Amino acid sequence: MRSEEHVGWERAFPVRYLLVRDDISGEEEGVLWGRCAEVEGLFMDVPPLPREVLTLRGCPRESLLVQAVADSAEPVRLLGDGMLSIEPVDPSNDGPARFWDLEDTTVLARWPTPGDPGRWDIVVGTGVSEDDYWGRKRLPSSPRFDLWFPSIQGDSPSGSCRSIDGLLTPRPQRPTQPVHLIGCEPAAPLLTLLSRPLPQKGDPITLWPLDRHGRTITRYRLDLDTVEARPSVLGGALIDVTITDPGDDRPTLAARQVWEIWSDGVPTLPNQWAQFDAKGQSEWLDLTRVGPYGPEGLSDGTYHLDGQHVTDRTSMLLALGEALLGPGANYGRCLDSVQDYLGGGLSVVPPFTLVWHHAAIARHALAGHVLHHLGGRSYFEETVNLLREKGVTVVLQ
């Protein structure tokens, strides 16, 4: 289903959003549930999780986690966001793993595990949120605790531990904020849901914001846990729909101004993202896409990266994507995906030359973003090293 097929609404206000039920089989793009003039309450900064103190018992000394927070000359204190899993040794007997998100994790203390010099205990302050998708609450008979912190080790486990004090405890849920679909013209599936006795509940749907050309800007999942409808404030046969608990897959408040630019179409001017703060630039990066290019990709040639606004990881990725593919495009949303694009595909592929103007700004700004699992190189140094290893001639100016 293409969004362009649904923008010819004969009304005094445009269709800005589609409601689409994703096709689970993957054979089709989705089923239209409705189209709306506006959405209120969509943008929300998710409130931080309550702070908790956890003690990671018996972390192996040779793990990257211990090396980063205890064994290095300048121990890492800010681990940032991460993930914890409790993996069963025998999944066939103990069922699936359990997962927790760890938010804004900080090292509070660490010491060698008493009676076991080959391990360390690490005390952290963090926000804890459990993924209760599987609904399993008991521990496996032989659990394995694994930890991931991208600041230390990309997408691979950073370390493990024997047990965690303070993890298995009841904790409150984050407060929710309803979403109101204004001026909604429902299709048959949504009408069927709304015809049920209150409270109506349904499966998740996807919200597709559209630009003025009918192009889908991005997509967000909305959980139809509780849905109510009433005649629309816009009049006619339209309705306004309230989703009481739509979930946390929401754009931040910083995204509102970013969307205003993208609602006119894919940006065509360079450095438009530079006017936003870090949150706004992160939202801009989420809207960028790659292509379109031919099946063989592009190679050779000289590209110019404007580095005057590169002051963190996100802005570096934005500047790189803009240099190689133009405004509104990305060349990866992390170094791992940059490496994938450099390996071939529909994008710009080596050999080519990248002239990095004002490179000293990024070198200085990213000096503190150290990648310990890559020999202690800074994010800037690793980016340049990755480009050169893959056959890019990088000229720093």
Side-chain angles (χ1 to χ4, degrees):
M1 182 190 66
R2 292 180 38 173
S3 60
E4 290 84 350
E5 298 171 359
H6 304 280
V7 298
W9 215 14
E10 295 179 359
R11 301 189 184 277
F13 39 87
V15 175
R16 296 192 64 184
Y17 298 89
L18 301 182
L19 301 174
V20 179
R21 178 72 168 91
D22 290 333
D23 179 35
I24 298 176
S25 69
E27 296 179 0
E28 297 182 9
E29 194 166 20
V31 177
L32 181 69
W33 275 46
R35 45 189 185 171
C36 305
E38 271 297 350
V39 176
E40 174 56 34
L42 178 64
F43 300 93
M44 181 187 75
D45 286 338
V46 177
L49 291 165
R51 302 297 295 177
E52 302 183 37
V53 176
L54 306 179
T55 302
L56 316 179
R57 300 288 187 185
C59 303
R61 177 183 285 276
E62 66 273 12
S63 68
L64 290 170
L65 176 62
V66 171
Q67 293 176 27
V69 307
D71 289 351
S72 59
E74 296 182 2
V76 172
R77 188 166 181 270
L78 302 179
L79 297 174
D81 295 339
M83 187 181 73
L84 158 72
S85 72
I86 299 182
E87 303 276 354
V89 175
D90 182 9
S92 62
N93 183 46
D94 287 330
R98 293 177 63 179
F99 295 91
W100 285 260
D101 289 326
L102 304 179
E103 182 177 275
D104 191 20
T105 306
T106 303
V107 177
L108 305 178
R110 68 269 183 193
W111 54 77
T113 301
D116 190 346
R119 295 179 179 269
W120 279 66
D121 294 346
I122 303 172
V123 181
V124 299
T126 188
V128 183
S129 174
E130 182 177 4
D131 180 359
D132 58 357
Y133 178 79
W134 295 106
R136 183 181 181 87
K137 293 301 179 184
R138 70 178 180 86
L139 283 180
S141 55
S142 300
R144 187 181 77 246
F145 296 78
D146 290 330
L147 297 123
W148 285 260
F149 289 102
S151 62
I152 296 177
Q153 173 65 349
D155 296 329
S156 301
S158 309
S160 62
C161 58
R162 288 176 168 171
S163 63
I164 300 180
D165 296 350
L167 177 64
L168 301 177
T169 183
R171 46 184 55 93
Q173 298 294 316
R174 281 198 251 224
T176 187
Q177 174 178 298
V179 164
H180 308 282
L181 311 177
I182 307 299
C184 185
E185 187 176 64
L190 182 56
L191 286 173
T192 300
L193 173 64
L194 295 174
S195 67
R196 300 174 187 171
L198 290 173
Q200 294 105 339
K201 294 189 176 182
D203 295 327
I205 60 172
T206 306
L207 183 71
W208 294 14
L210 308 177
D211 66 19
R212 64 183 180 88
H213 304 292
R215 170 187 174 273
T216 302
I217 299 175
T218 185
R219 302 180 184 185
Y220 285 96
R221 165 180 160 145
L222 297 178
D223 296 328
L224 300 183
D225 282 346
T226 304
V227 184
E228 301 175 358
R230 67 197 66 81
S232 177
V233 295
L234 301 184
L238 302 177
I239 60 175
D240 294 342
V241 178
T242 295
I243 305 174
T244 305
D245 189 3
D248 291 335
D249 187 16
R250 315 270 279 278
T252 67
L253 293 176
R256 193 189 302 273
Q257 289 182 308
V258 173
W259 280 31
E260 285 301 309
I261 295 176
W262 281 77
S263 65
D264 285 334
V266 178
T268 58
L269 300 177
N271 291 330
Q272 284 185 273
W273 50 267
Q275 63 186 290
F276 298 104
D277 62 11
K279 287 185 177 180
Q281 290 183 12
S282 179
E283 294 289 349
W284 189 287
L285 182 61
D286 286 343
L287 299 184
T288 58
R289 300 181 185 178
V290 175
Y293 290 97
E296 301 301 325
L298 303 175
S299 62
D300 296 320
T302 299
Y303 300 85
H304 295 266
L305 188 154
D306 183 354
Q308 61 181 322
H309 304 295
V310 177
T311 56
D312 59 17
R313 301 182 189 189
T314 301
S315 55
M316 191 208 72
L317 292 168
L318 286 168
L320 179 62
E322 198 162 87
L324 298 179
L325 302 172
N330 77 70
Y331 197 78
R333 293 188 172 100
C334 64
L335 285 187
D336 287 341
S337 57
V338 169
Q339 179 171 280
D340 290 341
Y341 291 137
L342 290 169
L346 307 183
S347 185
V348 176
V349 294
F352 61 85
T353 297
L354 180 68
V355 181
W356 192 322
H357 301 274
H358 309 287
I361 295 176
R363 184 190 297 275
H364 175 75
L366 294 169
H369 295 269
V370 178
L371 302 175
H372 295 274
H373 63 293
L374 296 174
R377 288 192 292 266
S378 73
Y379 201 82
F380 171 80
E381 292 170 333
E382 178 54 28
T383 301
V384 174
N385 183 67
L386 173 62
L387 291 167
R388 288 173 171 166
E389 282 187 344
K390 296 298 183 178
V392 179
T393 301
V394 181
V395 180
L396 303 178
Q397 291 188 350

